[in-house]
Amino acid sequence: MLVLDGVSHTYSNGTKALVDASLSLAPGMFGLLGPNGAGKSTLMRCVTGLQVPTSGSIRFNDIDVIANPEKLRAVLGYLPQDFGVYPRVSAYELLDHLAVLKGVTERGPRRDMVEGLLQQVNLWEVRKKAVAGFSGGMRQRFGIAQALIASPQLIIVDEPTAGLDPEERNRFNDLLSDVSSSVVVILSTHIVDDVVDLCSRMAIIVGGRIVQQGSPHDLLGLLAGRVWRSTIAKSELEDMTRAGINVISTRLRGGRTEVHVLSETQPPGTFEPLAPNLEDVYFATLTSERQHRSVGAASKSVA
Ligand SMILES: Nc1ncnc2c1ncn2[C@@H]1O[C@H](COP(=O)(O)OP(=O)(O)OP(=O)(O)O)[C@@H](O)[C@H]1O
Ligand SMILES: [Mg+2]
């Protein structure tokens, strides 16, 4: 069980990247969904023990992560958002080296482990090639291999599928879901489908705050009967927002604009009810947070 309690982080330049985050995570895959700059990587770095939060506590089972980050590291697999510079050494050599650093010092078991991981992530055929020459997808699969060294109990992967083509993305997600049954996996993403496909629990983070959490099913329930769809000309959109209609998302479809609206009752015009999907939950949350914040900013400027 991973438990964050009131975790805040303010960078030295004053950016409040994380504000009073509290979460409890049981084994299984947990999706952390949020836009660019929301604080996902900051939260994840705090959980890895690599960054000490300004305040709050983080525990993983009986480990106090802030007091004993080295204890956490022994059971942690981490794939950072920027997995750094790739040396011109082969996949096999690099993985073997990383395994030594992780404390797998005995040769025989290490060889078995490294070979097993390279097969698991489907890099066995290219194990003698330099990681520096790998494609984006191959690098991410190498990244997950290194995160799986020595059977970690907590796996943190920061936007692992960004930049992968659909086939690589599926392959990566399959790999991750295979390992997630008995360990805590935290996956950050701004791709809603990754969460739909993989996660039994999730949180939405905006502006450093966790604004929603629960199972995707629970969060969908919050919107039941309140999402409406219409297809309009782009020029009508402005009238719609001026009329106070709460547009949560717009998308071009065959040159027309499909709008999704959040409303307790059927909005005026040609709207039809829509079974919400997780993208509606995400956009409705972002819209409501942005409205709150602009109201907050406006009242502050008045005061
Ligand atoms: N080292 C740093 N110093 C100062 N500010 C930082 C630092 N790292 C991140 N920030 C700021 O903290 C906020 C949260 O950043 P963070 O990288 O955690 O977001 P994120 O959700 O991971 O975004 P992305 O999806 O773009 O990766 C942003 O406003 C960012 O500019
Ligand atoms: Mg990030």
Side-chain angles (χ1 to χ4, degrees), residues 18-23 30-35 38 40 43 202-214 219 222 281-293:
L18 204 57
V19 184
D20 199 19
S22 296
L23 287 173
F30 187 91
L32 189 63
L33 186 61
K40 303 180 295 295
L43 186 147
M202 62 174 291
I204 299 176
I205 179 168
V206 189
R209 289 173 201 274
I210 291 171
V211 292
Q212 290 281 15
Q213 58 174 307
L219 297 190
L222 296 174
V281 173
Y282 181 52
F283 287 134
T285 304
L286 293 187
T287 306
S288 125
E289 281 307 308
R290 283 172 186 150
Q291 283 164 354
H292 273 132
R293 220 159 295 161

Side-chain angles (χ1 to χ4, degrees), residues 11 13 15 17 34-43 45 81 158-159 190:
Y11 287 105
N13 65 1
T15 306
N36 290 138
K40 303 180 295 295
S41 296
T42 301
L43 186 147
R45 280 196 299 268
Q81 189 167 0
D158 196 352
E159 292 198 35
H190 48 246

Side-chain angles (χ1 to χ4, degrees), residues 43-54:
L43 186 147
M44 293 181 127
R45 280 196 299 268
C46 289
V47 173
T48 63
L50 290 170
Q51 185 170 305
V52 180
T54 316

